[in-house]
């Protein structure tokens, strides 16, 4: 089972949990429609269409409403920590949740109680919390963009807003240096899926896959294009693919989907998600 | 010791609100607790001390919301800093031009607007829970017609988005002023 945890931009929504479904460009969790926007909703949607393509089970999700005040994130952490050991989770994917270092440590303690240890993925603020708490090497997969790679490489930064200026100034051509520094500082997960003009898949510090074609610069501007990579990767691992094969296929599919929709800076993430099944047809 | 207490309570926020006087710290703790923030009175490290040997530990990610909460109650404080590093927020922005659009990058946030209409086309990057909310609030609206993300956001991601937004608005106003 792929278990996705994250918040969605709704006030007054407590924790909801259940199977996710993506039909006619709409996302549903246990019959409740979730706005398909950038963030965890985009990630879940991409995971759903990937699971459908691979004829595997849809993702199970734990969501809470949070517009930034943190209440939903606290509820979500508490629910996950209390319930994770009773779920039969193969892949745990943590996403948009207020980064709380102590709670991330508690999540790992809950994971240690699971009979079968799930593959542990973190993207967005969950990756920030894991790195800031010194837990990065405990994770199997992180999915940083170039700025987030600089954050993982900065031993002092507790959030990307505090990375050192020279690290933020790094260009795409310096991604390899940042990758090396991130592993040296123990700021990286076992596998990094580093996203940029050129994407990298890195295992334990060694770059094993590089892709820069098709070159679609507009993808960087479209909110949610990193979320879709994480969602596809999680769904592919859950379907039985290796972590490395999943990472590579997700990067290829994201670029292909961008090509299929003729992505421009105005393209919305729901358009890209709708193209993922066709993008996957040529790959898997 | 600051860190020995943390392990007992489980709270590890990574940031401090610093004060000139003890009573200011105590008042701020009360205000923030009533605002539902997880906070704790601690002794700041000597290198960060600003005149008073009491500080309020906070989750540094919530800096903008905490600052707004304290200012709304006229609370006095000297500074809000992360426990590690130089304590300077990123103030560099990068600009990338597409044919009809302009993308501004500030830290981990990117805002893209239409050069002809000033419409916000996309917001990408970031990871804190207020970003999808701000994304929905600002998308497909004109730069000149939306509130600054700093007003409605609570986290450092919102602060970075605010820097991108401010730069985008300046570029737009320069071209159309």
């Amino acid at each position: 089972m792929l278990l996705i945890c994250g918040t969605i931009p709704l006030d007054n929504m407590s924790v909801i949990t259940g199977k996710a479904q993506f039909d006619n460009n709409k996302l549903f969790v246990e019959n409740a429609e979730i706005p398909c926007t950038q963030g965890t909703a985009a990630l879940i949607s991409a995971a759903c269409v990937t699971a459908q393509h691979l004829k595997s089970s849809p993702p199970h999700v734990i969501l809470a409403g949070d517009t930034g005040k943190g209440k939903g994130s606290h509820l979500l952490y508490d629910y996950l920590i209390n319930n994770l050991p009773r779920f039969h989770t193969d892949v745990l994917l943590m996403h948009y949740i207020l980064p709380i270092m102590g709670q991330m440590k508690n999540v790992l303690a809950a994971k240690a109680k699971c009979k079968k240890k799930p593959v542990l993925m973190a993207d967005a603020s969950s990756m920030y919390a894991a790195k800031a708490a010194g837990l990065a090497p405990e994770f199997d997969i992180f999915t940083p963009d170039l700025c987030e790679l600089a954050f993982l490489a900065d031993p002092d930064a507790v959030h990307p807003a505090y990375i050192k200026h020279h690290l933020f100034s790094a260009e795409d051509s310096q991604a390899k240096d940042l990758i090396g520094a991130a592993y040296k500082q123990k700021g990286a997960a076992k596998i990094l899926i580093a996203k940029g003009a050129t994407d990298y898949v890195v295992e334990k510090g060694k770059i094993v896959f590089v892709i820069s074609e098709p070159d679609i610069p507009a993808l960087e501007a479209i909110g949610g294009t990193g979320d879709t990579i994480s969602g596809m990767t999680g769904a592919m691992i859950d379907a039985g693919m290796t972590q490395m094969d999943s990472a590579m296929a997700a990067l290829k599919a994201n670029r292909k989907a961008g090509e299929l929709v003729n992505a421009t800076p105005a393209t919305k993430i729901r358009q890209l998600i709708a193209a993922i099944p066709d993008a996957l047809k040529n790959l898997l | 010791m600051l860190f020995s207490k943390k392990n007992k309570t489980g709270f590890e926020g990574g940031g401090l609100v610093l004060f000139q006087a003890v009573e200011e710290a105590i008042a701020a703790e009360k205000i923030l607790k009533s605002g539902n923030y997880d906070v704790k009175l601690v002794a700041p490290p000597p290198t960060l001390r600003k005149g008073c040997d009491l500080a309020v530990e906070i989750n540094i990610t919530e800096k903008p919301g905490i600052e707004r909460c304290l200012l709304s109650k006229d609370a006095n404080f000297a500074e809000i800093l992360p426990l590690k590093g130089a304590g300077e927020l990123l103030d560099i922005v990068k600009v990338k031009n597409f044919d009809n659009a302009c993308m501004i990058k500030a830290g981990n946030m990117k805002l893209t607007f239409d050069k002809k209409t000033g419409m916000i086309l996309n917001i990408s990057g970031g990871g804190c829970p207020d970003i999808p909310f701000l994304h929905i609030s600002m998308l497909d609206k004109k730069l000149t017609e939306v509130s600054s993300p700093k007003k409605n956001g609570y986290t450092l991601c919102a602060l970075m988005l605010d820097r991108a937004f401010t730069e985008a608005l300046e570029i737009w106003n320069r071209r159309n002023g």
Side-chain angles (χ1 to χ4, degrees), chain A residues 212-235:
Chain A
S212 52
E213 298 290 337
D215 181 22
I216 305 168
L219 284 178
E220 187 183 6
I222 302 168
T225 48
D227 308 321
T228 49
I229 290 170
S230 299
M232 284 191 279
T233 303

Side-chain angles (χ1 to χ4, degrees), chain A residues 185-201:
Chain A
Q185 306 294 347
K186 299 192 187 305
K190 296 177 186 78
I191 292 173
L192 290 183
I193 304 173
K195 308 160 293 190
T198 299
D199 302 323
Y200 300 87
V201 179

